[in-house]
Amino acid sequence: MKNYVIMILLLAVTAWTVVAQDTPPAVVEDFKPSVINQPGKQFPQVNSEGRVRAQISAPEAHRVQLDISAVKYDLVKDDKGVWTGESAPQDEGFHYYQLWVDGAAVPDPGSLYFYGASRWGSGVEIPAKDQDFYAMKDVPHGQVREIHYFGKSSNSMRRCFVYTPPGYDQNLNTRYPVLYLQHGGGEDETGWSNQGRANLIMDNLIAEGKATPFIIVMDNGSWAMPRMERPAQQAAPPQGERPRQGERPAGFRSMAGFAEGFSKTLLEDIIPMIDANFRTLADQPHRAMAGLSMGGMQTRAITLANPEVFSHVGMFSGGSYSLEDVNNAPGFKEKIKFLFVSFGSRELENRRAGFGGDPRENTEALKNAGMNTHFYVSPQTAHEWQTWRRSLYEFAQRIFK
Amino acid sequence: MKNYVIMILLLAVTAWTVVAQDTPPAVVEDFKPSVINQPGKQFPQVNSEGRVRAQISAPEAHRVQLDISAVKYDLVKDDKGVWTGESAPQDEGFHYYQLWVDGAAVPDPGSLYFYGASRWGSGVEIPAKDQDFYAMKDVPHGQVREIHYFGKSSNSMRRCFVYTPPGYDQNLNTRYPVLYLQHGGGEDETGWSNQGRANLIMDNLIAEGKATPFIIVMDNGSWAMPRMERPAQQAAPPQGERPRQGERPAGFRSMAGFAEGFSKTLLEDIIPMIDANFRTLADQPHRAMAGLSMGGMQTRAITLANPEVFSHVGMFSGGSYSLEDVNNAPGFKEKIKFLFVSFGSRELENRRAGFGGDPRENTEALKNAGMNTHFYVSPQTAHEWQTWRRSLYEFAQRIFK
């Protein structure tokens, strides 16, 4: 009898699998233009399932694909030469993507462009249940300021973006804490305000009284290369001084070397420049560092080596601090007032065991050792910007209190 | 004898023409990557003749073209599926362009992107003999600030960029004059700093003591539509509130109506917001307006109707003020302290007679009528950003003196 039941169950599962394979689930026809399309552009669109529908006119092409979350979806041509097609459902939040037209990888002419994967490319926004926290609202807004300055350690002009909170230009006797906030690998100093909406997250938190107003500095942690010639608001190294294609930038050898190079830039160029030009509270208790992915690894290396510089630390999808890390870093345990570690839930599910140790257990061990830690998991998101928007939202409410 | 000489000359010219047609001029092989390429990208390249060479991998394509200055140039495929080809020589300065891959118009994945022609697309920079005036240098730099504010006249969140000169955050007792500087048709509030390099032009002028430091406000003159949802640093109207594709935005009926709509936004929203949030000299003697092309036409309409608001006026490639215009605008002749009109030399060559009158003659007539005017012609440039960079450079040295 028991075997009989199991056999029926197996047959049912098999039948369901066959049906599922033969008839792909119907696409829900409630597509709307992505909110980060270029003005007036109707595609890409997103539906209530989180599918992305792309469309492009390419009358002479014989193959066009939508390439998102590492999967390529074939588009279908109509009799006017317009290609249309959609992806499987995507997680909530921001995703990079591109189109392939007869073997050429190109940005979608319909979307706005964002710097990631070491190129300016297309982005699409899947509406999220919690999108209110990064929405543009009629609340007092801070400013995002583009700053050009000379970096002695790299002997070059550099660029960063600085968020100043609402009231910064009115409250001239107020000095502010500072968060140094780093992007991920293949991204740059534009990421946290363009994809991350760091300024809107802060404006909304401050309007609700949930965060202490502070300055955010978003600089380029990728490498210290000269960048004299470039237009404002986008970065381009000068010709003749950039590494050849496929060549690693000077000094890039390992993650340790990578963090070391940026450490010098941060400590010797960026922080002194910010303290000289903004009304900062220029001491350790009012200085934080956080970063995502590669920026999180840089945050770990730099704060472990310099606990007299930073008091609040955030590591988003970049690993964790082990008890051994902390025990080997003199002063870290005593001087760091708050340590925040976060991941997307899908990252934890997919994580290989043992890569730097389990981050939740590591963070718990630090709490047990007496540190003020917080471990945050972003629901139903992967190694993507929605995880990092939420991480900043959670982190920002807990620092400089 | 005379006829004989002429015949020989004619034959020589004919022979030369035939040779020129049969053997196109050799391309000079000194191409270098454009200085506004994406980091690490080797193409597009530019040679000493001003030719643009594009390259893209498209192994399955059967036709790829470079589309620049309204001409399409065929690229040639190599055995690896990489397409390469170059344009005729281009004028010095910035040019928009795009690629066509089997009938799809797409941005070049190698270049940075700029908003023009009503889309974010590729740009290329032809080195110019006078490029030093807009180069990034190790001089004191002002800031370009991204500002979000609520516009009552449009009942929507708006964005503008504000250039504050070097020292603005240090000289807290100093108040500054303000220039309201408008982009052209199909462009937006990012144009003057991205393509125009207005901030670098000002930084360099101020460092050389050639310009009085002033604030520049770069807002969106295109139309007053709600724009609640968009990432920082790029503009995108929200879904559901944008006009349908091909539909003119509400209120767009004529250039007069166009200027009228922006006039209300400028006078009722932008200027009060700027005077409330920046240390401005908030009076007519310290307020200027200038614009390029459509922005020049808006400048003319708005300053003719409101000479009590602005004292210094610049019109770049946007027509001119006729004596009749001025005579019909009460107070304009007396209140406007400086009136600047400019064009690219190629625009004047190609200009249809009678379109608003000859701009040089018009401007001369105003000078003869007692106004302080300046007419500037940018050598060897057309209706392009190099004309407008030079126009700003000339204009900025002559205002608020």
Side-chain angles (χ1 to χ4, degrees), chain A residues 56 58-66 72-77 83 99-106, chain B residues 59-62 101-102 104:
Chain A
I56 187 171
E60 301 163 21
H62 55 84
R63 190 163 66 137
V64 178
Q65 292 173 304
L66 162 64
K72 292 179 186 168
Y73 301 89
D74 286 328
L75 274 54
V76 177
K77 190 181 187 173
W83 296 74
L99 300 181
W100 291 82
V101 179
D102 283 351
V106 292
Chain B
E60 300 163 22
H62 56 86
V101 179
D102 283 351

Side-chain angles (χ1 to χ4, degrees), chain A residues 99-106, chain B residues 43 54-61 64 75-78 80-84 99 101 108-110:
Chain A
L99 300 181
W100 291 82
V101 179
D102 283 351
V106 292
Chain B
F43 286 88
Q55 182 174 96
I56 187 170
S57 172
E60 300 163 22
V64 179
L75 273 55
V76 176
K77 190 180 187 174
D78 72 9
K80 288 174 182 159
V82 175
W83 296 75
T84 308
L99 300 180
V101 179
D108 182 344

Side-chain angles (χ1 to χ4, degrees), chain A residues 4-300:
Chain A
Y4 192 61
V5 168
I6 288 175
M7 211 175 75
I8 285 178
L9 280 173
L10 276 172
L11 276 171
V13 168
T14 308
W16 180 86
T17 307
V18 168
V19 168
Q21 280 174 342
D22 282 356
T23 58
V27 169
V28 178
E29 282 298 336
D30 56 359
F31 285 90
K32 291 176 186 166
S34 161
V35 295
I36 53 173
N37 281 1
Q38 295 185 28
K41 296 292 177 74
Q42 294 303 301
F43 287 88
Q45 299 191 341
V46 182
N47 77 355
S48 56
E49 300 171 282
R51 292 181 198 273
V52 176
R53 176 172 281 172
Q55 181 174 96
I56 187 171
S57 172
E60 301 163 21
H62 55 84
R63 190 163 66 137
V64 178
Q65 292 173 304
L66 162 64
D67 179 356
I68 186 167
S69 302
V71 179
K72 292 179 186 168
Y73 301 89
D74 286 328
L75 274 54
V76 177
K77 190 181 187 173
D78 71 10
D79 55 8
K80 288 174 183 160
V82 175
W83 296 74
T84 307
E86 53 274 328
S87 74
Q90 304 291 308
D91 285 340
E92 296 185 350
F94 175 91
H95 303 278
Y96 299 113
Y97 77 100
Q98 62 186 353
L99 300 181
W100 291 82
V101 179
D102 283 351
V106 292
D108 182 343
S111 86
L112 292 177
Y113 303 129
F114 303 86
Y115 195 72
S118 300
R119 55 118 175 79
W120 284 90
S122 289
V124 64
E125 190 75 59
I126 312 294
K129 284 182 282 297
D130 58 348
Q131 65 190 7
D132 190 65
F133 80 83
Y134 52 87
M136 169 71 70
K137 300 182 195 176
D138 183 16
V139 297
H141 286 276
Q143 301 175 359
V144 176
R145 307 181 182 194
E146 181 183 358
I147 311 289
H148 297 277
Y149 66 102
F150 185 78
K152 281 180 201 154
S153 77
S154 58
N155 192 34
S156 67
M157 290 301 298
R158 295 182 55 87
R159 179 175 72 160
C160 72
F161 290 94
V162 176
Y163 168 81
T164 54
Y168 183 87
D169 280 328
Q170 284 71 46
N171 312 325
L172 294 180
N173 295 319
T174 305
R175 303 187 78 86
Y176 294 84
V178 185
L179 165 63
Y180 293 85
L181 184 60
Q182 291 305 123
H183 58 82
E187 296 171 340
D188 70 7
E189 67 273 23
T190 62
W192 268 110
S193 50
N194 274 354
Q195 294 97 298
R197 300 190 174 210
N199 50 328
L200 299 184
I201 292 171
M202 291 308 303
D203 292 340
N204 291 337
L205 277 174
I206 292 167
E208 293 182 37
K210 289 182 177 171
T212 301
F214 54 84
I215 292 166
I216 303 181
V217 178
M218 298 164 280
D219 207 303
N220 191 316
S222 293
W223 54 71
M225 58 192 308
R227 293 182 301 144
M228 287 292 290
E229 278 289 343
R230 68 278 175 87
Q233 293 159 46
Q234 288 194 334
Q239 57 190 56
E241 292 177 284
R242 60 168 64 105
R244 285 187 298 276
Q245 213 146 11
E247 183 186 26
R248 283 180 165 180
F252 184 111
R253 280 192 189 80
S254 63
M255 186 47 62
F258 208 84
E260 205 175 324
F262 183 62
S263 176
K264 191 173 163 69
T265 301
L266 178 61
L267 299 177
E268 297 180 16
D269 288 332
I270 303 174
I271 294 176
M273 181 278 291
I274 294 296
D275 284 335
N277 288 283
F278 291 86
R279 295 195 317 281
T280 63
L281 290 162
D283 54 16
Q284 189 261 8
H286 300 96
R287 199 179 290 124
M289 182 172 184
L292 73 93
S293 192
M294 179 191 84
M297 300 184 217
Q298 292 173 322
T299 298
R300 178 173 60 190

